[in-house]
Amino acid sequence: MSVEYYRKRLIDLRADVAKEREAKKKDNAYYADLIKRATSPSSKASYRKSKIDRATGHDRKIESLKREIERCKETLARERERAKKK
């Protein structure tokens, strides 16, 4: 692949990380509101568990994207080296 492809891929991955962080914030706010408005202790506990589960899922996705960014950076460096040799 070309250097330009990996540059664009890096930009896209960084945008994906930002989107995932925003989604996490929205989900946290949504579940915080549900917890605040819940009337029974069991529903509050259920919402809290859901909030934690969703936040953990977002964290996993963010970490996965960060690893992908690192791989892309390494590949981009290799492509630049290969382009210099030509």
Side-chain angles (χ1 to χ4, degrees):
M1 300 261 173
S2 70
V3 172
E4 290 303 315
Y5 168 80
Y6 289 108
R7 284 184 185 157
K8 183 182 179 319
R9 180 83 174 125
L10 271 175
I11 292 168
D12 292 343
L13 287 169
R14 288 179 179 138
D16 289 346
V17 169
K19 286 178 192 174
E20 194 64 30
R21 285 186 175 140
E22 284 301 313
K24 181 180 177 182
K25 285 180 188 177
K26 286 180 183 178
D27 277 350
N28 279 343
Y30 172 74
Y31 282 106
D33 187 51
L34 285 176
I35 291 166
K36 190 170 94 172
R37 290 185 296 145
T39 55
S40 71
S42 63
S43 63
K44 278 190 180 199
S46 174
Y47 290 143
R48 282 189 183 107
K49 184 181 180 316
S50 296
K51 181 180 177 183
I52 291 168
D53 291 344
R54 291 293 292 246
T56 303
H58 286 297
D59 288 341
R60 276 194 305 270
K61 178 72 172 169
I62 290 169
E63 289 305 313
S64 171
L65 289 168
K66 285 181 180 179
R67 285 191 302 274
E68 184 67 26
I69 287 171
E70 289 305 314
R71 281 193 296 272
C72 192
K73 283 180 182 179
E74 292 167 4
T75 307
L76 179 60
R78 281 195 303 271
E79 286 296 318
R80 283 183 178 153
E81 287 299 317
R82 190 181 318 169
K84 283 182 183 177
K85 290 179 182 179
K86 286 185 179 179

Coordinates of all heavy atoms in Angstrom, one line a residue:
M1 N 0.8 -1.2 0.0 CA 0.0 0.0 0.0 C 0.9 1.2 0.0 O 2.1 1.2 0.3 CB -0.9 0.0 1.2 CG -1.8 -1.2 1.4 SD -3.4 -0.7 0.8 CE -4.2 -2.2 0.8
S2 N 0.3 2.4 -0.3 CA 1.1 3.6 -0.4 C 1.2 4.3 0.9 O 0.4 4.1 1.9 CB 0.5 4.5 -1.5 OG -0.7 5.0 -1.0
V3 N 2.1 5.3 1.0 CA 2.2 6.1 2.2 C 1.0 6.9 2.4 O 0.5 7.1 3.5 CB 3.5 7.0 2.0 CG1 3.6 8.1 3.1 CG2 4.7 6.2 1.9
E4 N 0.4 7.4 1.3 CA -0.8 8.2 1.4 C -2.0 7.4 2.0 O -2.8 8.0 2.8 CB -1.2 8.8 0.0 CG -0.3 9.8 -0.5 CD -0.2 11.0 0.4 OE1 -1.2 11.5 0.9 OE2 1.0 11.4 0.6
Y5 N -2.1 6.2 1.7 CA -3.1 5.3 2.2 C -3.0 5.3 3.8 O -4.0 5.4 4.5 CB -3.1 3.9 1.7 CG -3.9 2.9 2.4 CD1 -5.3 2.9 2.2 CD2 -3.4 2.1 3.4 CE1 -6.1 2.0 2.9 CE2 -4.1 1.2 4.1 CZ -5.5 1.2 3.8 OH -6.3 0.3 4.5
Y6 N -1.8 5.1 4.2 CA -1.6 4.9 5.7 C -1.8 6.3 6.4 O -2.2 6.3 7.5 CB -0.2 4.3 6.0 CG -0.2 2.9 5.6 CD1 0.6 2.4 4.5 CD2 -0.9 1.9 6.3 CE1 0.6 1.1 4.2 CE2 -0.9 0.6 6.0 CZ -0.2 0.2 4.9 OH -0.2 -1.2 4.6
R7 N -1.4 7.4 5.7 CA -1.7 8.7 6.3 C -3.2 8.9 6.5 O -3.6 9.3 7.6 CB -1.1 9.8 5.5 CG 0.4 9.9 5.6 CD 0.8 11.1 4.8 NE 2.3 11.2 4.8 CZ 3.0 11.8 3.8 NH1 2.3 12.4 2.8 NH2 4.3 11.9 3.9
K8 N -3.9 8.6 5.5 CA -5.4 8.7 5.6 C -6.0 7.8 6.6 O -6.9 8.1 7.4 CB -6.0 8.4 4.2 CG -7.5 8.6 4.2 CD -8.1 8.3 2.8 CE -9.6 8.5 2.8 NZ -10.4 8.0 3.9
R9 N -5.4 6.6 6.6 CA -5.9 5.6 7.6 C -5.7 6.1 9.1 O -6.5 5.9 9.9 CB -5.1 4.2 7.4 CG -5.5 3.1 8.3 CD -6.8 2.4 7.9 NE -7.0 1.3 8.7 CZ -8.1 1.1 9.4 NH1 -9.1 1.9 9.3 NH2 -8.3 0.1 10.2
L10 N -4.5 6.7 9.3 CA -4.2 7.3 10.6 C -5.3 8.3 11.0 O -5.8 8.4 12.1 CB -2.8 7.9 10.7 CG -1.7 6.9 11.1 CD1 -0.4 7.6 10.9 CD2 -1.9 6.4 12.5
I11 N -5.6 9.2 10.0 CA -6.6 10.3 10.3 C -7.9 9.7 10.6 O -8.6 10.1 11.6 CB -6.6 11.2 9.1 CG1 -5.3 12.0 8.9 CG2 -7.8 12.1 9.2 CD1 -5.2 12.7 7.6
D12 N -8.3 8.6 9.8 CA -9.6 8.0 10.1 C -9.6 7.3 11.4 O -10.7 7.4 12.1 CB -9.9 7.0 9.0 CG -10.1 7.6 7.6 OD1 -10.4 8.8 7.6 OD2 -10.0 6.9 6.6
L13 N -8.6 6.6 11.8 CA -8.5 5.9 13.1 C -8.6 6.9 14.2 O -9.3 6.7 15.2 CB -7.3 5.1 13.2 CG -7.2 3.8 12.4 CD1 -5.8 3.2 12.4 CD2 -8.2 2.8 12.9
R14 N -7.9 8.0 14.1 CA -8.0 9.1 15.2 C -9.4 9.6 15.3 O -9.9 9.9 16.4 CB -7.0 10.2 14.9 CG -5.5 9.7 15.2 CD -4.5 10.8 14.9 NE -3.2 10.3 15.1 CZ -2.1 10.5 14.4 NH1 -2.3 11.2 13.3 NH2 -0.9 10.0 14.7
A15 N -10.1 9.8 14.2 CA -11.4 10.3 14.2 C -12.3 9.2 14.8 O -13.3 9.6 15.6 CB -11.9 10.6 12.8
D16 N -12.1 8.0 14.6 CA -12.9 6.9 15.2 C -12.7 6.9 16.7 O -13.7 6.7 17.5 CB -12.5 5.5 14.6 CG -12.9 5.3 13.2 OD1 -13.8 6.1 12.7 OD2 -12.4 4.4 12.6
V17 N -11.5 7.2 17.2 CA -11.2 7.2 18.6 C -12.0 8.4 19.2 O -12.7 8.2 20.3 CB -9.7 7.4 19.0 CG1 -9.5 7.7 20.4 CG2 -9.0 6.1 18.6
A18 N -12.0 9.5 18.6 CA -12.8 10.7 19.1 C -14.3 10.4 19.1 O -15.0 10.7 20.1 CB -12.5 11.9 18.2
K19 N -14.8 9.7 18.1 CA -16.2 9.4 18.0 C -16.6 8.4 19.1 O -17.6 8.5 19.8 CB -16.6 8.7 16.7 CG -16.6 9.7 15.5 CD -16.9 9.0 14.2 CE -16.7 9.8 13.0 NZ -16.8 9.1 11.8
E20 N -15.7 7.5 19.4 CA -15.9 6.5 20.4 C -15.9 7.1 21.8 O -16.8 6.8 22.7 CB -14.9 5.4 20.4 CG -15.3 4.1 21.2 CD -16.5 3.4 20.7 OE1 -16.8 3.4 19.5 OE2 -17.2 2.8 21.5
R21 N -15.0 8.1 22.0 CA -15.0 8.8 23.3 C -16.3 9.6 23.5 O -16.9 9.7 24.6 CB -13.8 9.7 23.4 CG -12.5 9.0 23.6 CD -11.4 9.9 23.8 NE -10.2 9.1 24.2 CZ -9.0 9.4 23.7 NH1 -8.7 10.4 22.9 NH2 -8.0 8.6 24.1
E22 N -16.8 10.2 22.4 CA -18.1 11.0 22.5 C -19.2 10.0 22.8 O -20.1 10.4 23.6 CB -18.3 11.7 21.2 CG -17.5 13.0 21.0 CD -17.7 14.0 22.2 OE1 -18.9 14.3 22.5 OE2 -16.7 14.5 22.7
A23 N -19.2 8.9 22.2 CA -20.3 7.9 22.4 C -20.3 7.4 23.9 O -21.3 7.2 24.5 CB -20.1 6.7 21.5
K24 N -19.1 7.3 24.4 CA -18.9 6.9 25.8 C -19.5 8.0 26.7 O -20.2 7.7 27.7 CB -17.5 6.6 26.2 CG -17.2 6.2 27.6 CD -15.8 6.0 27.9 CE -15.6 5.6 29.4 NZ -14.2 5.4 29.7
K25 N -19.2 9.2 26.4 CA -19.7 10.3 27.2 C -21.3 10.3 27.2 O -21.9 10.5 28.2 CB -19.2 11.7 26.7 CG -17.8 11.9 27.1 CD -17.4 13.3 26.5 CE -15.9 13.5 26.7 NZ -15.5 14.8 26.2
K26 N -21.8 10.2 26.0 CA -23.3 10.2 25.8 C -23.9 9.0 26.6 O -24.9 9.2 27.2 CB -23.7 10.1 24.3 CG -23.4 11.4 23.6 CD -23.8 11.3 22.1 CE -23.5 12.6 21.4 NZ -23.8 12.5 20.0
D27 N -23.3 7.8 26.4 CA -23.9 6.7 27.2 C -23.8 6.9 28.7 O -24.8 6.6 29.4 CB -23.1 5.4 26.8 CG -23.6 4.8 25.5 OD1 -24.7 5.2 25.0 OD2 -23.0 3.8 25.0
N28 N -22.7 7.4 29.2 CA -22.6 7.7 30.6 C -23.6 8.7 31.1 O -24.2 8.5 32.1 CB -21.2 8.2 30.9 CG -20.2 7.1 31.1 OD1 -20.5 5.9 31.2 ND2 -18.9 7.4 31.0
A29 N -23.8 9.7 30.3 CA -24.9 10.7 30.7 C -26.3 10.1 30.6 O -27.1 10.3 31.5 CB -24.8 11.9 29.7
Y30 N -26.5 9.3 29.6 CA -27.8 8.6 29.5 C -28.1 7.7 30.7 O -29.1 7.8 31.3 CB -27.8 7.8 28.2 CG -29.0 6.9 28.1 CD1 -30.3 7.5 27.8 CD2 -28.9 5.5 28.2 CE1 -31.4 6.6 27.6 CE2 -30.1 4.7 28.1 CZ -31.3 5.3 27.8 OH -32.4 4.5 27.7
Y31 N -27.1 6.9 31.1 CA -27.3 5.9 32.2 C -27.3 6.7 33.5 O -28.0 6.3 34.4 CB -26.3 4.8 32.2 CG -26.6 3.8 31.2 CD1 -25.9 3.6 30.0 CD2 -27.6 2.9 31.4 CE1 -26.2 2.7 29.1 CE2 -27.9 1.9 30.5 CZ -27.2 1.8 29.3 OH -27.5 0.8 28.4
A32 N -26.6 7.8 33.6 CA -26.6 8.5 34.9 C -28.0 9.1 35.1 O -28.5 9.1 36.2 CB -25.6 9.7 34.8
D33 N -28.6 9.6 34.0 CA -30.0 10.1 34.1 C -31.0 9.0 34.4 O -31.9 9.2 35.2 CB -30.4 10.7 32.7 CG -31.7 11.5 32.8 OD1 -31.9 12.3 33.7 OD2 -32.6 11.2 31.9
L34 N -30.8 7.8 33.8 CA -31.7 6.7 34.2 C -31.6 6.3 35.7 O -32.6 6.1 36.3 CB -31.4 5.5 33.3 CG -31.8 5.5 31.9 CD1 -31.3 4.2 31.2 CD2 -33.3 5.6 31.8
I35 N -30.3 6.3 36.1 CA -30.1 6.0 37.5 C -30.7 7.0 38.5 O -31.4 6.7 39.5 CB -28.6 5.8 37.8 CG1 -28.0 4.6 37.1 CG2 -28.3 5.8 39.3 CD1 -26.5 4.6 37.0
K36 N -30.6 8.3 38.1 CA -31.2 9.3 38.9 C -32.7 9.3 39.0 O -33.3 9.5 40.0 CB -30.7 10.7 38.3 CG -31.0 11.9 39.2 CD -30.4 13.1 38.6 CE -31.3 13.9 37.8 NZ -30.8 15.2 37.3
R37 N -33.3 8.9 37.9 CA -34.8 8.8 37.8 C -35.4 7.5 38.2 O -36.6 7.4 38.4 CB -35.2 9.2 36.4 CG -35.0 10.6 36.0 CD -35.6 11.0 34.7 NE -34.9 10.2 33.6 CZ -35.5 9.7 32.5 NH1 -36.7 9.9 32.3 NH2 -34.8 9.0 31.6
A38 N -34.5 6.5 38.4 CA -35.1 5.2 38.8 C -35.7 5.3 40.2 O -35.2 6.0 41.1 CB -34.0 4.2 38.8
T39 N -36.8 4.5 40.4 CA -37.5 4.5 41.7 C -37.1 3.4 42.6 O -37.1 3.5 43.8 CB -39.0 4.6 41.4 OG1 -39.4 3.5 40.6 CG2 -39.4 5.9 40.7
S40 N -36.9 2.2 42.0 CA -36.6 1.1 42.8 C -35.1 0.8 42.9 O -34.4 1.0 42.0 CB -37.4 -0.2 42.3 OG -36.7 -0.6 41.1
P41 N -34.7 0.3 44.0 CA -33.3 0.0 44.2 C -32.8 -1.1 43.2 O -31.6 -1.0 42.7 CB -33.2 -0.6 45.6 CG -34.4 -0.1 46.3 CD -35.4 0.1 45.3
S42 N -33.6 -2.0 42.8 CA -33.2 -3.0 41.9 C -33.0 -2.5 40.5 O -32.1 -2.9 39.8 CB -34.2 -4.2 41.8 OG -35.5 -3.7 41.4
S43 N -33.8 -1.5 40.1 CA -33.7 -0.9 38.8 C -32.4 0.0 38.8 O -31.7 0.0 37.8 CB -34.9 -0.1 38.3 OG -35.1 0.9 39.2
K44 N -32.2 0.7 39.9 CA -30.9 1.5 40.0 C -29.7 0.6 39.8 O -28.8 0.9 39.1 CB -30.9 2.2 41.3 CG -31.7 3.5 41.3 CD -31.4 4.3 42.6 CE -32.2 5.5 42.5 NZ -31.7 6.6 43.4
A45 N -29.7 -0.5 40.5 CA -28.6 -1.5 40.4 C -28.4 -2.0 39.0 O -27.3 -2.1 38.5 CB -28.8 -2.6 41.4
S46 N -29.5 -2.3 38.4 CA -29.5 -2.8 37.0 C -28.9 -1.7 36.1 O -28.0 -2.0 35.2 CB -30.9 -3.2 36.6 OG -30.9 -3.5 35.2
Y47 N -29.3 -0.5 36.2 CA -28.8 0.6 35.4 C -27.3 0.8 35.6 O -26.6 1.1 34.7 CB -29.6 1.9 35.6 CG -31.0 1.9 35.1 CD1 -32.0 2.5 35.7 CD2 -31.3 1.2 33.9 CE1 -33.3 2.5 35.3 CE2 -32.6 1.2 33.4 CZ -33.6 1.8 34.1 OH -34.9 1.8 33.6
R48 N -26.9 0.7 36.9 CA -25.5 0.9 37.2 C -24.7 -0.2 36.6 O -23.6 0.1 36.0 CB -25.3 0.9 38.7 CG -25.7 2.2 39.4 CD -25.2 2.2 40.9 NE -25.7 3.4 41.5 CZ -26.7 3.4 42.4 NH1 -27.3 2.3 42.8 NH2 -27.0 4.6 43.0
K49 N -25.1 -1.4 36.6 CA -24.4 -2.5 36.0 C -24.4 -2.3 34.5 O -23.3 -2.4 33.9 CB -25.1 -3.8 36.3 CG -24.3 -5.0 35.7 CD -25.1 -6.3 36.0 CE -24.3 -7.5 35.5 NZ -23.8 -7.4 34.2
S50 N -25.4 -1.8 33.9 CA -25.5 -1.6 32.4 C -24.5 -0.4 32.1 O -23.8 -0.5 31.1 CB -26.9 -1.2 32.0 OG -27.8 -2.3 32.2
K51 N -24.5 0.6 32.9 CA -23.6 1.7 32.7 C -22.1 1.3 32.7 O -21.3 1.6 31.8 CB -23.8 2.8 33.7 CG -22.9 4.0 33.6 CD -23.2 5.0 34.7 CE -22.3 6.2 34.5 NZ -22.5 7.2 35.6
I52 N -21.8 0.4 33.7 CA -20.4 -0.1 33.8 C -20.1 -1.0 32.6 O -19.0 -0.8 32.0 CB -20.2 -0.8 35.1 CG1 -20.3 0.1 36.3 CG2 -18.9 -1.6 35.1 CD1 -20.4 -0.5 37.6
D53 N -21.0 -1.8 32.2 CA -20.8 -2.7 31.1 C -20.5 -1.9 29.8 O -19.7 -2.2 29.0 CB -21.9 -3.7 30.9 CG -22.0 -4.7 32.0 OD1 -21.0 -4.9 32.7 OD2 -23.1 -5.3 32.1
R54 N -21.4 -0.9 29.5 CA -21.2 -0.1 28.3 C -19.9 0.7 28.3 O -19.2 0.7 27.3 CB -22.4 0.9 28.2 CG -23.7 0.3 27.9 CD -23.8 -0.4 26.5 NE -23.7 0.6 25.5 CZ -24.7 0.9 24.6 NH1 -25.8 0.2 24.7 NH2 -24.6 1.8 23.7
A55 N -19.6 1.3 29.5 CA -18.3 2.0 29.6 C -17.1 1.1 29.3 O -16.2 1.5 28.6 CB -18.2 2.7 30.9
T56 N -17.2 -0.1 29.8 CA -16.1 -1.1 29.6 C -16.0 -1.4 28.1 O -14.9 -1.6 27.6 CB -16.3 -2.4 30.4 OG1 -16.4 -2.0 31.8 CG2 -15.2 -3.4 30.3
G57 N -17.1 -1.6 27.5 CA -17.1 -1.9 26.0 C -16.5 -0.8 25.2 O -15.7 -1.0 24.3
H58 N -16.8 0.5 25.6 CA -16.3 1.6 24.9 C -14.7 1.7 25.2 O -14.0 2.0 24.2 CB -16.9 2.9 25.4 CG -18.3 3.2 24.9 ND1 -18.6 3.3 23.6 CD2 -19.5 3.3 25.5 CE1 -19.9 3.5 23.4 NE2 -20.4 3.5 24.6
D59 N -14.3 1.4 26.4 CA -12.9 1.4 26.7 C -12.1 0.4 25.9 O -11.1 0.6 25.4 CB -12.7 1.1 28.2 CG -13.1 2.3 29.1 OD1 -13.2 3.4 28.5 OD2 -13.3 2.1 30.3
R60 N -12.7 -0.8 25.7 CA -12.1 -1.9 24.9 C -12.0 -1.4 23.5 O -10.9 -1.7 22.8 CB -12.9 -3.2 25.0 CG -12.6 -4.0 26.2 CD -13.2 -5.4 26.0 NE -14.6 -5.5 25.8 CZ -15.6 -5.5 26.7 NH1 -15.2 -5.6 27.9 NH2 -16.8 -5.5 26.3
K61 N -13.0 -0.8 23.0 CA -13.0 -0.3 21.6 C -11.9 0.7 21.4 O -11.2 0.7 20.4 CB -14.4 0.2 21.2 CG -14.5 0.7 19.8 CD -14.4 -0.3 18.8 CE -14.7 0.3 17.4 NZ -14.5 -0.6 16.3
I62 N -11.8 1.7 22.4 CA -10.8 2.7 22.3 C -9.4 2.1 22.3 O -8.5 2.5 21.5 CB -11.0 3.7 23.4 CG1 -12.3 4.6 23.2 CG2 -9.8 4.7 23.5 CD1 -12.8 5.4 24.3
E63 N -9.2 1.2 23.2 CA -7.9 0.5 23.3 C -7.5 -0.2 22.0 O -6.4 -0.2 21.5 CB -7.8 -0.4 24.5 CG -7.7 0.3 25.8 CD -6.6 1.3 25.9 OE1 -5.4 1.0 25.5 OE2 -6.9 2.4 26.3
S64 N -8.5 -0.9 21.4 CA -8.3 -1.6 20.2 C -7.9 -0.6 19.0 O -7.0 -0.8 18.3 CB -9.6 -2.3 19.8 OG -9.5 -2.8 18.5
L65 N -8.6 0.5 19.0 CA -8.3 1.6 18.0 C -6.9 2.1 18.2 O -6.2 2.4 17.3 CB -9.3 2.7 18.0 CG -10.7 2.3 17.5 CD1 -11.7 3.4 17.8 CD2 -10.6 2.1 16.0
K66 N -6.5 2.3 19.5 CA -5.2 2.8 19.8 C -4.1 1.8 19.3 O -3.1 2.2 18.7 CB -5.0 3.1 21.3 CG -5.7 4.3 21.7 CD -5.5 4.5 23.2 CE -6.1 5.8 23.7 NZ -5.9 5.9 25.2
R67 N -4.3 0.5 19.5 CA -3.4 -0.5 19.0 C -3.3 -0.4 17.5 O -2.2 -0.6 16.9 CB -3.8 -1.9 19.5 CG -3.5 -2.1 21.0 CD -3.6 -3.6 21.3 NE -5.0 -4.1 21.1 CZ -6.0 -4.0 21.9 NH1 -5.9 -3.4 23.1 NH2 -7.2 -4.5 21.6
E68 N -4.5 -0.3 16.8 CA -4.5 -0.2 15.4 C -3.7 1.0 14.9 O -3.0 1.0 13.9 CB -5.9 -0.1 14.9 CG -6.1 -0.1 13.4 CD -5.7 -1.4 12.8 OE1 -5.7 -2.5 13.4 OE2 -5.3 -1.4 11.6
I69 N -3.8 2.1 15.6 CA -3.1 3.4 15.3 C -1.6 3.1 15.3 O -0.8 3.5 14.5 CB -3.4 4.5 16.2 CG1 -4.8 5.1 15.8 CG2 -2.4 5.7 16.1 CD1 -5.4 6.1 16.8
E70 N -1.1 2.4 16.4 CA 0.3 2.1 16.6 C 0.8 1.2 15.4 O 1.8 1.4 14.9 CB 0.6 1.4 17.9 CG 0.4 2.4 19.1 CD 1.3 3.6 18.9 OE1 2.5 3.5 18.6 OE2 0.8 4.7 19.2
R71 N 0.0 0.2 15.1 CA 0.4 -0.7 13.9 C 0.5 0.1 12.6 O 1.4 -0.1 11.8 CB -0.7 -1.8 13.8 CG -0.5 -3.0 14.8 CD -1.3 -4.2 14.4 NE -2.7 -4.0 14.4 CZ -3.5 -4.1 15.5 NH1 -2.9 -4.5 16.6 NH2 -4.8 -3.9 15.4
C72 N -0.5 1.0 12.5 CA -0.5 1.8 11.2 C 0.7 2.7 11.2 O 1.3 2.9 10.1 CB -1.8 2.6 11.2 SG -2.1 3.4 9.6
K73 N 1.1 3.3 12.3 CA 2.3 4.1 12.4 C 3.6 3.3 12.0 O 4.4 3.8 11.3 CB 2.5 4.7 13.8 CG 1.6 5.9 14.1 CD 1.9 6.4 15.5 CE 1.0 7.5 15.9 NZ 1.2 7.9 17.3
E74 N 3.7 2.1 12.5 CA 4.8 1.3 12.2 C 4.8 0.9 10.7 O 5.9 1.0 10.1 CB 4.8 0.0 13.1 CG 5.0 0.2 14.5 CD 4.6 -1.0 15.4 OE1 4.2 -2.1 14.8 OE2 4.7 -0.9 16.6
T75 N 3.7 0.6 10.2 CA 3.6 0.3 8.8 C 4.0 1.5 7.9 O 4.7 1.4 6.9 CB 2.2 -0.3 8.4 OG1 1.9 -1.4 9.3 CG2 2.2 -0.8 7.0
L76 N 3.5 2.6 8.3 CA 3.8 3.9 7.6 C 5.3 4.1 7.6 O 5.9 4.5 6.6 CB 3.0 5.1 8.2 CG 3.3 6.4 7.6 CD1 2.8 6.4 6.2 CD2 2.5 7.5 8.4
A77 N 5.9 3.9 8.7 CA 7.4 4.1 8.8 C 8.1 3.1 7.8 O 9.0 3.5 7.1 CB 7.9 3.9 10.2
R78 N 7.6 1.9 7.8 CA 8.2 0.9 6.9 C 8.0 1.3 5.4 O 8.9 1.2 4.6 CB 7.6 -0.5 7.1 CG 8.2 -1.2 8.3 CD 7.9 -2.7 8.3 NE 6.5 -2.9 8.2 CZ 5.7 -3.1 9.3 NH1 6.2 -3.0 10.5 NH2 4.4 -3.4 9.1
E79 N 6.9 1.8 5.1 CA 6.6 2.2 3.7 C 7.4 3.4 3.3 O 7.9 3.5 2.2 CB 5.1 2.6 3.6 CG 4.2 1.4 3.5 CD 4.4 0.5 2.3 OE1 4.6 1.0 1.2 OE2 4.4 -0.7 2.5
R80 N 7.7 4.3 4.3 CA 8.5 5.5 4.0 C 9.9 5.0 3.7 O 10.6 5.6 2.8 CB 8.5 6.5 5.2 CG 7.2 7.3 5.2 CD 7.3 8.3 6.4 NE 6.1 9.1 6.4 CZ 5.6 9.7 7.4 NH1 6.2 9.5 8.6 NH2 4.5 10.4 7.4
E81 N 10.4 4.1 4.5 CA 11.8 3.6 4.3 C 11.9 2.9 2.9 O 12.8 3.0 2.2 CB 12.1 2.6 5.4 CG 12.5 3.2 6.7 CD 13.6 4.2 6.6 OE1 14.6 3.8 6.0 OE2 13.5 5.3 7.2
R82 N 10.8 2.1 2.6 CA 10.8 1.4 1.3 C 10.8 2.4 0.1 O 11.5 2.3 -0.9 CB 9.6 0.5 1.2 CG 9.7 -0.4 0.0 CD 8.6 -1.3 -0.2 NE 8.1 -1.9 1.1 CZ 7.0 -2.6 1.2 NH1 6.2 -2.8 0.2 NH2 6.6 -3.2 2.3
A83 N 10.0 3.5 0.3 CA 10.0 4.6 -0.7 C 11.3 5.3 -0.9 O 11.7 5.6 -2.0 CB 8.9 5.6 -0.4
K84 N 12.1 5.4 0.2 CA 13.4 6.1 0.1 C 14.4 5.2 -0.7 O 15.2 5.7 -1.4 CB 13.9 6.3 1.5 CG 13.3 7.5 2.2 CD 14.0 7.7 3.6 CE 13.3 8.8 4.3 NZ 13.9 9.0 5.7
K85 N 14.3 3.9 -0.5 CA 15.2 3.0 -1.2 C 15.0 2.9 -2.7 O 15.9 2.6 -3.4 CB 15.1 1.6 -0.6 CG 15.6 1.5 0.8 CD 15.5 0.1 1.4 CE 16.0 0.1 2.8 NZ 15.8 -1.2 3.4
K86 N 13.8 3.3 -3.1 CA 13.5 3.2 -4.6 C 14.2 4.3 -5.4 O 14.7 5.2 -5.3 CB 12.0 3.2 -4.8 CG 11.3 2.0 -4.4 CD 9.9 2.0 -4.8 CE 9.2 0.7 -4.5 NZ 7.8 0.7 -4.8

